[in-house]
């Protein structure tokens, strides 16, 4: 690339070096800029640097100059503040559905949105290797496919899998394809789920995205529009524990008063609550009954008691007894 051609790129190089090297605590003087341009085969004088800075300001770049040390020019604002970038890094590194390799790649890209000095503060936060991460590298691209299918209003086919003791994904239904009309992607308990209308059962069902393989976008239009026109994702998430499906039922449950925060965190503020005794209250809850729901109740210990219906009281007691029976040999 000849010197004369590089000279035409002068303004772009100045913008790049201010973006990469400067922030509120780090500036570049006109001499610093001239020296950096010389390494690119671009000659410049101080006056031309002043003119270039003014052009960049007119273009909309928030460039300020400081008279105190360190003196010089710096990029005062960016698309993302450093605090926002830290939140993005935290989200990426703590997300189980993103593999360790992809997490490192994404975090490196996020670092490029800051100056190289501020990027060091992001690097100190990165502790990915010891986090539990998905082993399915394709999930990152599967999510993009699912968004495309949803926006295109078409069905998808895929193989749905479960993990084996050999730590491999094994297709269910003897490897037969699932055909689903995709509608909603939801992030629940650090996992991505697709909620869609299943062709075989003609029901709304959900699938963990990291267990979906060979996703193919079809040309067939989606079904289930009527069902999803009435679908409330908020209620679905509140009554489904760990995204494990089960028969829906309305329960009356007694809780100790100190558990009010736990109940509202789980079910929201619109639930029906009534004071019961001086130390307890009763909540009326719509729940998909599953072993995960019983496990949640058991985790609250003696501070919780199912009052009705009696059939659910008996099922819960059976659940507790079955767990206890595992330890009878002790």
């Amino acid at each position: 690339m000849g010197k004369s051609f590089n000279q035409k790129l002068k303004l772009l190089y100045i913008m790049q070096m201010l973006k990469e090297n400067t922030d509120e605590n780090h500036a570049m003087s006109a001499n610093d800029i001239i020296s950096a341009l010389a390494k690119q085969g671009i000659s410049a004088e101080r006056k031309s640097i002043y003119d270039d800075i003014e052009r960049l300001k007119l273009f909309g770049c928030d460039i300020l100059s400081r008279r105190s040390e360190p003196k010089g020019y710096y990029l005062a604002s960016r698309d993302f503040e450093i605090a926002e970038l830290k939140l993005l890094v935290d989200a990426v590194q703590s997300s189980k559905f993103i593999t360790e390799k992809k997490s490192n790649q994404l975090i490196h890209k996020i670092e490029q949105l800051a100056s190289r000095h501020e990027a060091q503060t992001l690097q100190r936060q990165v502790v990915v290797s010891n986090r539990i991460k998905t082993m399915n590298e394709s999930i990152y691209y599967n999510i993009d496919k699912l968004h495309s299918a949803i926006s295109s209003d078409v069905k998808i086919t895929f193989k749905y899998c479960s993990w084996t003791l050999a730590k491999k994904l094994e297709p269910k239904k003897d490897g037969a394809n699932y055909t689903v009309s995709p509608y909603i992607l939801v992030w629940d308990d650090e996992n991505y789920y697709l909620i869609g209308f299943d062709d075989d059962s003609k029901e709304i069902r959900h699938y963990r995205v990291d267990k979906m393989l060979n996703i193919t976008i079809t040309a067939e239009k989606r079904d289930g529009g009527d069902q999803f026109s009435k679908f409330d994702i908020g209620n679905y998430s509140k009554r489904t524990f760990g995204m494990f499906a089960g028969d829906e039922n309305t329960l009356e449950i007694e809780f100790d008063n100190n558990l009010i925060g736990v109940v509202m965190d789980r079910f929201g503020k619109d639930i029906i609550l009534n004071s019961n005794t001086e130390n307890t209250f009763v909540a009326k809850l719509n729940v998909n009954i599953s072993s995960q729901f019983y496990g949640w109740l058991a985790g609250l210990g003696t501070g919780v008691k199912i009052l009705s219906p009696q059939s659910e009281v008996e099922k819960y007691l059976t659940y507790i007894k079955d767990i206890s029976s595992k330890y009878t040999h002790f």
Side-chain angles (χ1 to χ4, degrees):
M1 191 178 294
K3 179 178 179 181
S4 59
F5 187 85
N6 267 6
Q7 200 73 30
K8 297 177 182 179
L9 301 177
K10 179 185 173 190
L11 208 61
L12 295 176
Y13 275 115
I14 293 175
M15 185 63 248
Q16 183 183 42
M17 63 181 66
L18 289 174
K19 181 180 178 182
E20 292 180 353
N21 300 312
T22 72
D23 52 53
E24 188 176 357
N25 299 310
H26 301 88
M28 292 185 73
S29 66
N31 287 336
D32 292 333
I33 296 173
I34 291 171
S35 297
L37 288 172
K39 295 178 181 178
Q40 303 296 332
I42 301 172
S43 60
E45 298 178 350
R46 291 177 64 89
K47 185 178 184 305
S48 70
I49 298 299
Y50 301 149
D51 291 340
D52 290 334
I53 295 295
E54 289 304 314
R55 289 191 185 97
L56 289 171
K57 287 182 178 179
L58 287 173
F59 182 70
C61 299
D62 188 14
I63 300 172
L64 298 180
S65 60
R66 56 188 305 161
R67 300 183 182 279
S68 58
E69 294 295 338
K71 296 180 180 180
Y73 299 101
Y74 67 96
L75 194 60
S77 62
R78 300 169 185 269
D79 291 337
F80 292 91
E81 297 177 8
I82 192 66
E84 294 171 328
L85 295 179
K86 288 179 178 179
L87 287 176
L88 292 176
V89 168
D90 284 344
V92 169
Q93 69 182 20
S94 62
S95 298
K96 292 195 300 183
F97 75 90
I98 308 177
T99 63
E100 182 178 341
K101 177 183 176 183
K102 183 56 67 175
S103 292
N104 285 321
Q105 291 174 348
L106 288 173
I107 289 170
H108 178 66
K109 291 179 180 179
I110 292 173
E111 289 171 358
Q112 295 177 30
L113 298 173
S115 72
R116 60 184 176 87
H117 309 286
E118 291 177 329
Q120 293 176 359
T121 67
L122 299 176
Q123 292 166 4
R124 285 196 289 271
Q125 291 193 175
V126 180
V127 184
V128 173
S129 58
N130 291 327
R131 299 289 180 94
I132 298 173
K133 289 285 187 177
T134 180
M135 290 178 277
N136 185 356
E137 181 70 24
S138 65
I139 184 174
Y140 188 77
Y141 304 99
N142 285 349
I143 291 170
D144 186 54
K145 277 187 179 181
L146 294 173
H147 277 298
S148 295
I150 292 170
S151 62
S152 300
D153 191 28
V154 294
K155 296 181 181 180
I156 60 169
T157 63
F158 57 91
K159 296 187 186 302
Y160 199 51
C161 306
S162 58
W163 288 105
T164 67
L165 291 176
K167 300 180 182 178
K168 294 182 179 180
L169 284 172
E170 184 175 273
K172 295 184 176 183
K173 297 202 311 187
D174 295 324
N177 278 334
Y178 286 65
T179 301
V180 172
S181 298
Y183 279 90
I184 299 171
L185 278 167
V186 59
W187 192 0
D188 183 85
D189 194 25
E190 298 190 67
N191 288 305
Y192 248 121
Y193 293 87
L194 169 71
I195 301 178
F197 187 78
D198 182 76
D199 254 26
D200 290 338
S201 66
K202 304 301 180 186
E203 295 178 348
I204 292 176
R205 294 191 174 179
H206 58 260
Y207 311 86
R208 257 181 61 171
V209 176
D210 60 314
K211 295 182 178 180
M212 298 168 65
L213 298 181
N214 302 335
I215 297 175
T216 300
I217 299 175
T218 74
E220 189 177 354
K221 288 295 182 181
R222 292 186 299 183
D223 294 327
D226 290 341
Q227 288 85 344
F228 271 94
S229 66
K230 309 166 188 174
F231 184 73
D232 187 330
I233 182 60
N235 286 334
Y236 187 82
S237 297
K238 283 187 287 187
R239 58 184 170 81
T240 307
F241 280 71
M243 296 303 284
F244 279 84
D247 294 331
E248 183 179 357
N249 206 340
T250 300
L251 279 65
E252 287 190 324
I253 305 177
E254 179 187 81
F255 295 92
D256 286 354
N257 285 343
N258 65 334
L259 294 175
I260 180 63
V262 174
V263 175
M264 292 182 67
D265 285 345
R266 175 68 233 190
F267 296 98
K269 296 181 180 180
D270 296 330
I271 54 175
I272 299 174
L273 301 176
N274 291 298
S275 179
N276 188 39
T277 68
E278 183 179 351
N279 300 312
T280 64
F281 66 93
V282 173
K284 192 172 183 179
L285 306 172
N286 292 321
V287 179
N288 281 6
I289 308 301
S290 66
S291 58
Q292 283 66 34
F293 167 64
Y294 291 150
W296 180 78
L297 286 181
L300 300 179
T302 58
V304 60
K305 178 182 179 181
I306 299 177
L307 300 180
S308 69
Q310 185 59 33
S311 60
E312 292 303 333
V313 174
E314 293 170 0
K315 289 179 183 178
Y316 181 58
L317 290 175
T318 299
Y319 171 83
I320 298 297
K321 290 177 182 177
D322 287 345
I323 292 177
S324 300
S325 66
K326 294 281 187 179
Y327 299 91
T328 55
H329 64 283
F330 291 105

